[in-house]
């Protein structure tokens, strides 16, 4: 398959509207989209990524009014979160409308809905004639793609179109909150922090993965994720570590000398933005071990910890 590379949101949307699979930029990570009214394209999307079919997709919309096309039963907490955080890096799990196919939601009676704030994503989605189901635009299991070049590396020849944009400004996948029950549940940490959510809604429970949880609240979270080829070693600030042959370091505090690749981030935002591209760079430069500093569990640190723990196979 020939992958069309374009900078035109309208051209990319036309390809999607004709039943194509299209990668596009968002502020979190790049997404790989198919129209929810194109069942063959949805199947093709799962094939291109190598994604297990029981891992549901998030449905992307271009304006708040479009939520009514895909979801219903929007309670008070969901309304407050929509008003405060849409458009932005927040996905809400809501009761689905019958028009959303089971292939998108993996048979669940709920649907994840997000309205990206990135202007190119917005323009693209506004030209799409139906809502767009989109997981992250990377081969399943690998670190998410935060630049068009990374999408190209993973998916050239496997998808119909790649809409080029800037590198993702956040670099971590959206915060996911399940608002389909009486008390909202934080299913995945992201750039919208627990503290920010609690400033808008009175109560939220935090989903902690358990091995015996049947069925999981968020099916996709049981799969290995975000892992580079190199092994990950988690470390704490001020812990005594030493560079080894072909080892790299990413974190906030300065490590000892001797790492072949090094990224010291000025703050948590930069750490989140750089994490996945650093993993990719380590793999392309033949690094075997990546030392990653575990930040504290507050603010966006919660999301970075989550990705680091998953990437290292800890949960
Ligand atoms: P990705 O698009 O690769 O970031 O993955 C999307 C994540 O959203 C997966 O971990 C899914 O399990 C989760 N998700 C999507 N739809 C739902 C839903 N209806 N209920 C619970 N989790 C969902
Ligand atoms: Mg993903």
């Amino acid at each position: 398959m020939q992958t069309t590379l374009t900078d035109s949101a309208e051209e990319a949307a036309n390809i999607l509207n004709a039943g194509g699979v299209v990668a596009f930029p968002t502020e979190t990570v790049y997404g790989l989209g198919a129209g929810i009214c194109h069942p063959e394209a949805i199947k093709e999307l799962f094939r291109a990524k190598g994604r297990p079919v029981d891992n549901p997709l998030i449905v992307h919309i271009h304006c708040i009014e479009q939520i009514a096309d895909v979801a219903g039963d929007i309670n008070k907490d969901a309304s407050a979160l929509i008003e405060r955080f849409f458009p932005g890096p927040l996905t809400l799990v809501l009761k689905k409308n019958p028009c959303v196919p089971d292939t998108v939601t993996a048979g669940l009676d709920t649907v994840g809905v997000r309205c990206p704030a990135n202007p190119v994503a917005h323009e693209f989605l506004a030209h799409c004639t139906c809502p767009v189901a989109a997981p992250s635009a990377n081969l399943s299991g690998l670190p998410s793609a935060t630049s068009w070049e990374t999408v190209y590396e993973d998916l050239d020849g496997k998808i119909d179109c790649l809409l080029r944009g800037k590198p993702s400004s956040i670099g971590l996948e959206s915060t996911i909150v399940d608002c389909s029950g009486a008390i909202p549940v934080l299913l995945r940490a992201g750039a919208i922090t627990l503290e920010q959510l609690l400033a808008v809604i009175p109560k939220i429970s935090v989903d902690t993965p358990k091995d015996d949880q049947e069925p999981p609240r968020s099916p996709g979270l049981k799969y290995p994720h975000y892992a580079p080829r190199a092994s990950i070693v988690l470390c704490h600030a001020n812990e005594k570590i030493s560079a080894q042959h072909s080892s790299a370091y990413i974190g906030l505090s300065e490590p000892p000398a001797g790492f072949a690749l090094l990224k010291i981030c000025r703050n948590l935002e930069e750490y989140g933005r750089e994490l996945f591209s650093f993993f990719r760079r380590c793999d392309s430069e033949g690094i075997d071990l990546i030392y990653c500093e575990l930040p504290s569990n507050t603010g966006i640190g919660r999301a970075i910890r989550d990705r680091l723990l998953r990437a290292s196979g800890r949960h």
Side-chain angles (χ1 to χ4, degrees), residues 5 23 29-30 137-139 142-156 159 162 164-165 167-168 276-281 284:
L5 279 179
V29 299
Y30 271 66
N138 52 277
L139 290 176
L142 294 187
S144 299
T146 56
S147 69
W148 74 260
E149 290 91 341
T150 308
V151 180
Y152 188 77
E153 258 171 50
D154 273 16
L155 296 170
D156 179 41
I159 60 175
L162 165 50
R164 289 181 294 208
S168 302
F276 291 139
S277 66
F278 188 75
F279 282 175
R280 295 269 185 170
R281 199 170 142 219
S284 70

Side-chain angles (χ1 to χ4, degrees), residues 116-247:
N118 174 300
V120 179
H122 175 82
E123 193 189 346
F124 166 68
L125 293 168
H127 280 106
C128 292
T129 49
C130 64
V132 173
S136 51
N138 52 277
L139 290 176
S140 216
L142 294 187
S144 299
T146 56
S147 69
W148 74 260
E149 290 91 341
T150 308
V151 180
Y152 188 77
E153 258 171 50
D154 273 16
L155 296 170
D156 179 41
K158 297 190 163 110
I159 60 175
D160 296 289
C161 175
L162 165 50
L163 172 58
R164 289 181 294 208
K166 293 190 180 134
S168 302
S169 58
I170 292 172
L172 299 169
E173 304 77 4
S174 58
T175 304
I176 305 182
V177 178
D178 185 348
C179 284
S180 65
I183 296 173
V185 184
L186 177 65
L187 295 180
R188 179 171 74 188
I192 304 289
T193 64
L194 182 61
E195 295 83 350
Q196 285 176 299
L197 295 167
L198 280 170
V200 176
I201 52 174
K203 214 169 163 186
I204 186 164
S205 67
V206 178
D207 190 44
T208 39
K210 293 186 199 72
D211 291 344
D212 57 355
Q213 199 177 5
E214 272 301 330
R217 287 293 292 249
S218 191
L221 300 182
K222 71 181 182 224
Y223 290 108
H225 256 84
Y226 321 120
R229 190 195 48 75
S231 302
I232 289 188
V233 183
L234 303 174
C235 57
H236 296 277
N238 308 321
E239 186 178 326
K240 222 171 156 337
I241 55 171
S242 50
Q244 290 159 46
H245 178 67
S246 293
S247 61

Side-chain angles (χ1 to χ4, degrees), residues 2-113:
Q2 174 85 23
T3 301
T4 301
L5 279 179
T6 182
D7 300 322
S8 159
E10 191 170 355
E11 184 186 6
N14 289 340
I15 293 173
L16 183 134
N17 292 336
V21 175
V22 177
F24 61 100
T26 86
E27 69 273 28
T28 56
V29 299
Y30 271 66
L32 184 62
I36 65 165
C37 45
H38 295 289
E40 279 308 314
I42 302 275
K43 276 193 208 151
E44 194 53 46
L45 184 161
F46 277 97
R47 261 199 300 274
K49 267 195 70 132
R51 183 172 175 104
V53 290
D54 65 348
N55 191 353
L57 308 177
I58 292 169
V59 173
H60 292 69
I61 54 174
H62 70 90
C63 65
I64 292 173
E65 292 69 43
Q66 221 184 353
I67 296 174
D69 295 346
V70 292
D73 278 354
I74 298 174
N75 62 27
K76 204 165 141 236
D77 288 337
S79 298
L81 292 172
I82 290 165
E83 183 166 330
R84 173 68 182 82
F85 297 115
F86 274 33
L90 176 68
T91 296
L92 292 186
V93 171
L94 302 165
K95 285 274 176 255
K96 89 175 183 85
N97 276 357
C99 71
V100 182
D102 281 345
T103 45
V104 169
T105 61
L108 299 171
D109 62 354
T110 54
V111 59
V113 184

Side-chain angles (χ1 to χ4, degrees), residues 170-172 232-235 249-253 263-279 290-296 300-301 304-305 308:
I170 292 172
L172 299 169
I232 289 188
V233 183
L234 303 174
C235 57
Y249 170 91
I250 183 166
L252 296 163
S253 45
K263 179 79 209 169
I264 302 168
C265 306
R266 278 166 305 212
N267 50 42
L268 287 171
E269 284 67 30
E270 187 182 4
Y271 197 169
R273 187 162 58 242
E274 297 294 330
L275 182 65
F276 291 139
S277 66
F278 188 75
F279 282 175
I290 310 174
Y291 285 82
C292 303
E293 183 184 331
L294 263 184
S296 67
I300 199 172
I304 297 169
R305 275 181 82 93
L308 290 175

